[in-house]
Amino acid sequence: MTRLEMIAKLKESNCRVIFKKINGEERDMQCTLMETVLPELKTKSDDKKRQPNESVIRAFDINKQEFRSFKVDNVISFTCV
């Protein structure tokens, strides 16, 4: 599955992503990008605009209630509810 396909699925439902973290640990994350679930994003005047990293997806972790990122190449399993 491509990065764009994963993002499209995350925008329409909750997904379970199992991936290998940078330190080698395996992580199982319930996440989404559905606008109805996302918290209101706050920006600060000194926020730096980051260049998008095409190898990473930033999604909202439903259990931790925080944004988390994972590398597309490190995804072991990607399923949606």
Side-chain angles (χ1 to χ4, degrees):
M1 186 176 285
T2 68
R3 178 180 186 269
L4 292 177
E5 290 170 331
M6 288 183 202
I7 290 171
K9 294 282 187 191
L10 285 163
K11 286 183 177 180
E12 59 190 41
S13 64
N14 292 340
C15 298
R16 179 181 183 200
V17 183
I18 300 172
F19 61 96
K20 194 163 286 255
K21 292 171 43 174
I22 302 290
N23 67 6
E25 286 179 47
E26 203 169 282
R27 170 105 151 77
D28 186 343
M29 178 169 72
Q30 301 287 328
C31 56
T32 190
L33 286 174
M34 289 190 307
E35 293 206 13
T36 55
V37 178
L38 298 180
E40 184 179 328
L41 297 177
K42 299 175 189 127
T43 57
K44 300 175 194 146
S45 59
D46 64 343
D47 271 357
K48 295 182 180 97
K49 295 285 181 214
R50 294 188 212 170
Q51 292 295 327
N53 184 337
E54 296 300 318
S55 65
V56 173
I57 295 176
R58 185 173 179 247
F60 188 72
D61 185 320
I62 297 165
N63 297 324
K64 292 190 183 244
Q65 292 290 297
E66 293 179 339
F67 280 93
R68 295 285 190 246
S69 299
F70 58 90
K71 286 191 172 193
V72 175
D73 289 344
N74 292 352
V75 173
I76 297 165
S77 170
F78 187 98
T79 53
C80 296
V81 180

